[in-house]
Amino acid sequence: VARILRANGCAEEKIQSAANEAEGSPGRALQLAADEGYWDFRREVIQDFLNCSDRSTVVESGNKWKDRKDEADAVFSILDRFFSQLTRVHLAISDNQTYPADCPDLWKSFVQGAELSDLVKLTDAVKLARERTERNVQFSIVVEQLIFTCMEARNA
C-alpha cells in the first residue's frame, strides 16, 4: 500500500498513516491520503474519546458530541481501526507494525502493559456503543459510557 501511495505522489508524512488506516486497501489509502478533513475529524475523535482524564472532561465531551449522532458510524469506525492497530502492535504481528502516528503517549504505555483481554474489551465497548446508538440510546450517554470504558481500561 505504501508503494502505491508513493507511486501516486502522496506526501511522505501521510504514507504510513494512510496505509495503516486503510488496513490493506490501496483505494481507501489513496482516498484518505487526499482527505485532510478526515484527518482533522480523526484528531478530534482521538482527542475527545481517548484523552479524557477525569469526569468533567468526559461530560464535556459527551455534551460536545450529543447533537452529532449522524457522525456516530465514522466515530466508531475510527475507534475500531485505532484499537485494531493497537492490538496488532501489542501482538507484534509483524516488524513493521507501528503505533498510529497520532497515538497519545498514554495509550502507548497502556499497550506495553496491557493484556490481550484489555484490548478486546475496548473493541467490545465500541461494538456495544454502536449497538446502543442503533437502538436510539441518547448519544451523549453512549459517548460518555464509551469514554469511561476507555479511561478504565487505560488506567487499570
Side-chain angles (χ1 to χ4, degrees), residues 9-69:
C10 180
E12 196 63 36
E13 64 273 4
K14 286 272 192 212
I15 289 175
Q16 192 61 49
S17 295
N20 284 342
E21 190 71 5
E23 296 185 320
S25 170
R28 177 89 172 123
L30 287 166
Q31 177 188 18
L32 290 173
D35 185 357
E36 195 56 44
Y38 173 80
W39 298 103
D40 291 341
F41 183 72
R42 179 184 162 82
R43 278 187 288 278
E44 181 182 19
V45 169
I46 289 172
Q47 175 62 39
D48 291 349
F49 284 76
L50 302 178
N51 282 334
C52 286
S53 57
D54 58 44
R55 184 167 179 68
S56 66
T57 57
V58 173
V59 172
E60 184 178 308
S61 288
N63 286 333
K64 177 180 176 182
W65 286 90
K66 71 179 178 179
D67 296 324
R68 296 174 70 178
K69 186 177 179 179

Side-chain angles (χ1 to χ4, degrees), residues 42-108:
R42 179 184 162 82
R43 278 187 288 278
E44 181 182 19
V45 169
I46 289 172
Q47 175 62 39
D48 291 349
F49 284 76
L50 302 178
N51 282 334
C52 286
S53 57
D54 58 44
R55 184 167 179 68
S56 66
T57 57
V58 173
V59 172
E60 184 178 308
S61 288
N63 286 333
K64 177 180 176 182
W65 286 90
K66 71 179 178 179
D67 296 324
R68 296 174 70 178
K69 186 177 179 179
D70 58 323
E71 297 173 299
D73 188 55
V75 167
F76 299 145
S77 293
I78 287 169
L79 293 173
D80 272 335
R81 284 190 299 275
F82 184 86
F83 294 135
S84 175
Q85 290 171 12
L86 293 185
T87 301
R88 287 194 303 272
V89 169
H90 176 77
L91 295 172
I93 291 174
S94 69
D95 291 338
N96 67 352
Q97 287 299 326
T98 58
Y99 290 100
D102 49 3
C103 184
D105 287 339
L106 56 112
W107 281 93
K108 291 177 185 177

Side-chain angles (χ1 to χ4, degrees), residues 87-146:
T87 301
R88 287 194 303 272
V89 169
H90 176 77
L91 295 172
I93 291 174
S94 69
D95 291 338
N96 67 352
Q97 287 299 326
T98 58
Y99 290 100
D102 49 3
C103 184
D105 287 339
L106 56 112
W107 281 93
K108 291 177 185 177
S109 296
F110 162 74
V111 170
Q112 291 169 3
E115 298 290 330
L116 181 58
S117 61
D118 298 326
L119 293 158
V120 170
K121 285 178 191 173
L122 292 167
T123 302
D124 288 346
V126 175
K127 180 182 176 189
L128 180 60
R130 194 182 296 270
E131 290 169 358
R132 287 177 173 164
T133 301
E134 290 170 359
R135 285 187 260 141
N136 290 318
V137 174
Q138 186 178 350
F139 193 55
S140 62
I141 293 171
V142 172
V143 167
E144 289 174 11
Q145 183 59 54
L146 181 55

